[in-house]
Structures are given as structure tokens and as C-alpha cells.
Amino acid sequence: MTIPAPQTMGQQFGRRSWAEPWKIKMVEPLRVITREDRARALAAAGYNTFLLPSDDVYIDLLTDSGTNAMSDRQWAGMMLGDEAYAGSRNFYHLEEAVQTTYGYQYLVPTHQGRGAEHLLSQAVIKQGDVIPGNMYFTTTRLHQELAGGSFVDVIIDEAHDPTSLHPFKGNVDLGKVEAVIQRVGADKVPYVSLAGTVNMAGGQPVSMQNVRELRALTDRYGVKIYLDATRMVENAFFIQEREPGYADKSIAAILREFCDYTDGAWISAKKDSLVNIGGWLAVRDFDLFEELRNLVVIYEGLHTYGGLAGRDMEAMAIGIAESVQDEHVRARIGQVRYLGELLTDWGIPIVQPVGGHAIFLDARRIYPHLPQDEFPSQTLAAELYLDSGIRSMERGIVSAGRDPKTGDHYRPKLELTRLTIPRRVYTQAHMDVVAESVKAVYDARETTRGLRMVYEPKYLRFFQARFERL
Ligand code: F0G
């Protein structure tokens, strides 16, 4: 199937059907500060939205991570926390949820996604190894590098083109994977690092056919596949919508079939699983599980809590079950798409097709006069905050960091500013306000000046770097 022209996506994919399958029981007031106060707050934050106090933010689209609203059932589950040091009943509930929904036998809970990335990287990567993956993610690649490996991008070329309407822009290019394996030898490739959906590409999905073919290819060489399943529920939605043969299958069934092609997975439960903290790593191989259980007690906590409270594991177990309900996913992605359609109708360049968790503004096309060294995406995030108090996130050269071997900036083709939508938190009216602010900033684009970096941390610099206006 091909993706229809962006203007007709709403009609094609049924904009009518996505009203939220819940109503609001409790509210949290929002605060808007004046433009003068925002200008002061922004300068004090070194033009980095990560350094703003959230009290100075109006609509917070920094991330969909840990910012979700829990359901009444999840809150009730918090009261059932069994805070035993060992063998908490909530661990067994979580284990059962992961086994049923994702299909992996052995579970290691972690405090969040990067805790799981750390354990997996330390357990399976040796010095000099090469890890092919469908586009880097910041923390994932850093843990692979810190364990002695190097990451090679094997995503299809279309993923680097924000205008390509390929329906599965997260797909792995099998030719690129095979070339890596043949160049370095299968014994130097501990696993393929597969993510669904692909965050840095714009929340773009991987098709079932692609993972099936990847499995066949890696089996020929004896290479494992580990899945970053952080937003795999959203990936399953796109398979249901776009891949022949899946329209009548449930999100839960599609998710399970996809996971069945892989050897294990890790997750930041702060996304799909509708909680504020948590993560896990789960595998099929008992020997690897033994190794991971050895490591978790050093870095996270006992193997039945992994840095979490019992109540957190309970909320996660309930959140996993809620996350795969078809009407929930349809409403969640429907809201993201609603914002995307407004911006598309107004001619604002965004990554197309709209992905699962966010709208990615194309800062290269919005600020063609700003070279990448003047941080166009960082600039756009700052301008949005100044205009309306909306907080977004840089996903361009700052996030990409530096090549540890050469010390140069990694220079990603995609220079994007992410408007990330938390699950079950904001309304359609909030989306209208966001779209109008983006339009105002877009209209002022020609007179906008860039930034220079005045402080650069060593690791994951985007979190704490500081800038000044040029
Ligand atoms: N993998 C993916 C695809 C992610 O998006 C993230 C986090 C992680 C792993 C790490 O998980 O934060 O729980 O340690 N992404 C957040 C974001 C931070 O804003 O996209 P974590």
C-alpha cells in the first residue's frame, strides 16, 4: 500500500473514530507566564528546553516519556503495592503481563529503559563488536559504545528523507545488514538492534514482513535480534492499518506475532505502558537470563524489583494490559495525527507520514538560512517556548552528539524539533493552541537568528548543553 497525499490522510484513515475511550476524573491546573518572564526563563535555561523548570511551561511536549496519565485502575493498583524486598507479588503480576503480551519467558525489571540497555550491552557486547540497528537512539547507542561496541545505521534510506511517504520508514535495509555481517564476520555482531517504532526517524514503523525477513537473514548467520519495544504497541497499530492481511487482527495479536520473531526485548515502560517510571528486559535464553540476573543486582536492585517499588510494577502490569486495547491506540495516534494534519494544511514542513508519538518539525526546511552548526532545531524549540510557553525537544545535531573516535559532531540528515504528545493528558483544544503557536513561529522564520553552544557536557549533551543567541 502507498501512503495517500498528506492532505487526505484524515479522510483515508478515518478521523471520525478516534474520540478518547475515557473521560476525565481529576485535573491538574496549567499556568501561563508572560512573554517577558518566558524570555528571562529561556535565557536562564541557556536556550535548552531541558533546563526549564516545568512551572514555567504551559503545554509540555518535551517528551511522551513518563508523562502519561494513569487510569483509575492503575492508581488503585498503586495501593496494592507489595513492598517486600524479595518476591513482591507485583513482580509476578508484571512477569505474567510480559509473558502474555510480549511472549518472552524470562523477565528482568529495571528502573527505566536505559537501565535495561546498560544490562543488555554489558552482557552481550565485547570490545570491537559491531551492532547494526534501524537508526540510533541516544541512550541505546551510548550504552553500546560504552560496552566497547560501535553502532552502524542499517535503516532504509527513505527514513532519512522527511518527505518520503514510505509506509514503513522504520524498516531495516536487509542488504545493509548482510553487508555489515560479511564485512566484520558474524562473531563480531552480537545482535541486530531493532526498534519499533523508530523514535529518531519520526516515530516510523517497521513492517511484519521486514522483521520476518530479518529473522530469516540473521538465522542464516546465527545472529540474534533484540527489540527495543518501547513504542512497539504503536508500531502494531501501523501494521494493522497499512500491511495487507492485518486489518482484522487485534493490536495485541500483531504485537505478539512481531515479538515472536525476536530473541528478546527491552522497554522503557514510561511510553507505551502508561506509567511514570519503569522498564524491563526480557529474553528467551536461560543462560543469558542468568547473566542479566547477575548484573541487575549490581546496578539496579534485586532481580524481583530492579530499582522499582512494588506499586510501580503493579501500575506497569495494569498499564501493559490497557496499552494494547485497540480503541486506546487508535485515539492516541488519532490525536497525534490531528495535530499533524493541522500543520500540514497550513503548509508547515513536518516529517511525513506522521508517526506514532510525536510531530517532528523539519527545522532544515523552516530555517534554510541557518547552517547545522547554528543549531536550527534547538533554535526552533527556543522560539516555540518564547511564543507560547510550549516546550518541545531538539532532535538534530545536538542530540546526535560526537563520534567518540574522531571527536567531530555526528551530522544527522534529519534536523528536527519534536512535539511529543503524552498519552491521555492533553485535549484537542490544546492541540489547536500548539498548532497556532507553531504557525506564528513559522511566519517569523526569516528574521530568526541561530544559537551557539557555550557549554557542552561529555555524554548525552542535549540534556544539559547551554547556548546563547547569535
Ligand atoms: N529507547 C527508546 C526508543 C526511547 O525513546 C527511550 C527514551 C529509551 C529507549 C530510553 O528509555 O528514558 O526510560 O531510559 N526516550 C525518551 C524520549 C527519553 O523522550 O524519547 P528511558
Side-chain angles (χ1 to χ4, degrees):
M1 135 177 205
T2 55
I3 295 292
Q7 305 81 275
T8 62
M9 268 175 56
Q11 296 148 28
Q12 176 84 12
F13 294 138
R15 190 190 275 186
R16 283 189 58 159
S17 60
W18 69 265
E20 292 80 0
W22 39 259
K23 58 184 176 175
I24 296 164
K25 171 138 58 184
M26 190 189 283
V27 296
E28 177 180 344
L30 293 176
R31 194 170 86 112
V32 198
I33 60 173
T34 63
R35 189 179 173 99
E36 291 69 45
D37 285 344
R38 290 199 294 273
R40 260 191 297 276
L42 189 61
Y47 294 84
N48 186 345
T49 51
F50 278 103
L51 301 179
L52 288 166
S54 89
D55 273 351
D56 292 342
V57 171
Y58 171 36
I59 298 174
D60 201 347
L61 306 185
L62 183 71
T63 176
D64 63 331
S65 181
T67 53
N68 306 301
M70 294 207 296
S71 68
D72 51 0
R73 314 296 143 110
Q74 287 176 291
W75 279 107
M78 297 287 277
M79 295 305 292
L80 302 176
D82 168 10
E83 307 307 342
Y85 187 89
S88 159
R89 88 172 73 85
N90 313 115
F91 167 77
Y92 299 109
H93 186 192
L94 177 63
E95 184 181 54
E96 187 198 321
V98 171
Q99 285 168 345
T100 321
T101 308
Y102 292 87
Y104 306 107
Q105 170 104 48
Y106 303 115
L107 173 75
V108 178
T110 59
H111 77 284
Q112 60 182 81
R114 69 199 72 179
E117 289 168 348
H118 177 217
L119 303 185
L120 180 67
S121 302
Q122 293 298 326
V124 304
I125 298 174
K126 300 182 304 300
Q127 192 66 37
D129 279 354
V130 174
I131 302 96
N134 55 344
M135 201 174 269
Y136 87 99
F137 183 71
T138 52
T139 56
T140 317
R141 181 178 64 193
L142 182 56
H143 278 298
Q144 290 162 348
E145 289 173 352
L146 290 172
S150 47
F151 176 85
V152 181
D153 187 13
V154 294
I155 203 166
I156 57 172
D157 291 340
E158 286 87 341
H160 295 281
D161 172 4
T163 65
S164 160
L165 294 179
H166 192 293
F168 291 103
K169 279 168 95 171
N171 276 358
V172 169
D173 182 327
L174 299 169
K176 288 183 190 172
V177 179
E178 189 153 26
V180 171
I181 297 174
Q182 289 184 348
R183 178 167 57 83
V184 302
D187 57 329
K188 288 244 171 287
V189 182
Y191 62 100
V192 175
S193 185
L194 180 69
T197 58
V198 181
N199 192 350
M200 303 301 274
Q204 304 294 333
V206 178
S207 71
M208 194 71 83
Q209 185 184 345
N210 191 243
V211 71
R212 199 180 295 128
E213 289 173 1
L214 180 66
R215 178 76 279 173
L217 172 71
T218 50
D219 276 349
R220 286 211 302 279
Y221 292 97
V223 169
K224 306 272 190 227
I225 303 173
Y226 293 119
L227 175 67
D228 181 343
T230 294
R231 295 186 186 82
M232 195 52 224
V233 169
E234 292 171 5
N235 197 107
F237 170 85
F238 290 110
I239 291 175
Q240 187 188 57
E241 179 182 77
R242 299 175 182 175
E243 195 158 348
Y246 288 94
D248 297 327
K249 297 205 166 124
S250 67
I251 298 283
I254 296 170
L255 174 68
R256 184 59 200 270
E257 181 182 335
F258 195 103
C259 292
D260 284 350
Y261 289 113
T262 67
D263 297 289
W266 75 95
I267 187 170
S268 166
K270 303 168 71 172
K271 284 78 164 175
D272 271 355
S273 306
L274 299 164
V275 288
N276 304 119
I277 194 70
W280 49 257
L281 175 58
V283 296
R284 301 188 199 286
D285 180 70
F286 183 78
D287 294 338
L288 176 57
F289 173 59
E290 282 272 89
E291 177 61 17
L292 295 168
R293 268 206 305 200
N294 276 316
L295 287 172
V296 74
V297 296
I298 310 172
Y299 295 109
E300 300 280 319
L302 193 73
H303 59 278
T304 56
Y305 76 84
L308 296 164
R311 54 181 173 268
D312 299 326
M313 293 188 284
E314 189 60 29
M316 214 191 308
I318 299 169
I320 287 173
E322 291 182 2
S323 75
V324 294
Q325 289 168 2
D326 285 58
E327 58 280 19
H328 157 70
V329 192
R330 200 173 314 121
R332 188 277 185 286
I333 294 181
Q335 185 178 45
V336 176
R337 216 168 247 179
Y338 172 80
L339 177 59
E341 284 166 11
L342 282 180
L343 298 176
T344 303
D345 287 348
W346 295 347
I348 295 161
I350 63 172
V351 173
Q352 301 282 3
V354 170
H357 65 303
I359 299 300
F360 289 72
L361 303 170
D362 189 349
R364 257 186 213 279
R365 278 187 293 157
I366 294 174
Y367 295 137
H369 60 291
L370 297 185
Q372 211 169 11
D373 292 273
E374 295 182 13
F375 310 112
S377 314
Q378 190 80 32
T379 304
L380 185 54
E383 292 299 319
L384 267 172
Y385 175 71
L386 199 56
D387 179 72
S388 58
I390 290 166
R391 172 151 69 173
S392 57
M393 183 195 288
E394 198 268 2
R395 292 277 85 153
I397 189 169
V398 183
S399 295
R402 290 181 190 273
D403 185 325
K405 293 202 188 82
T406 66
D408 291 341
H409 293 294
Y410 284 118
R411 290 179 182 278
K413 284 207 190 108
L414 296 175
E415 187 62 40
L416 309 172
T417 304
R418 189 180 75 175
L419 299 165
T420 338
I421 317 297
R423 295 163 190 77
R424 309 194 292 204
V425 171
Y426 292 113
T427 66
Q428 188 161 324
H430 288 118
M431 295 302 111
D432 291 337
V433 170
V434 171
E436 286 158 20
S437 176
V438 173
K439 175 82 165 66
V441 168
Y442 180 67
D443 289 343
R445 63 195 180 279
E446 281 165 15
T447 53
T448 304
R449 281 167 296 130
L451 298 168
R452 74 188 168 93
M453 204 189 303
V454 293
Y455 166 67
E456 180 175 355
K458 186 164 168 216
Y459 295 123
L460 303 174
R461 62 183 182 178
F462 56 96
F463 285 132
Q464 288 150 346
R466 301 182 71 85
F467 303 82
E468 279 171 6
R469 213 187 267 292
L470 282 169

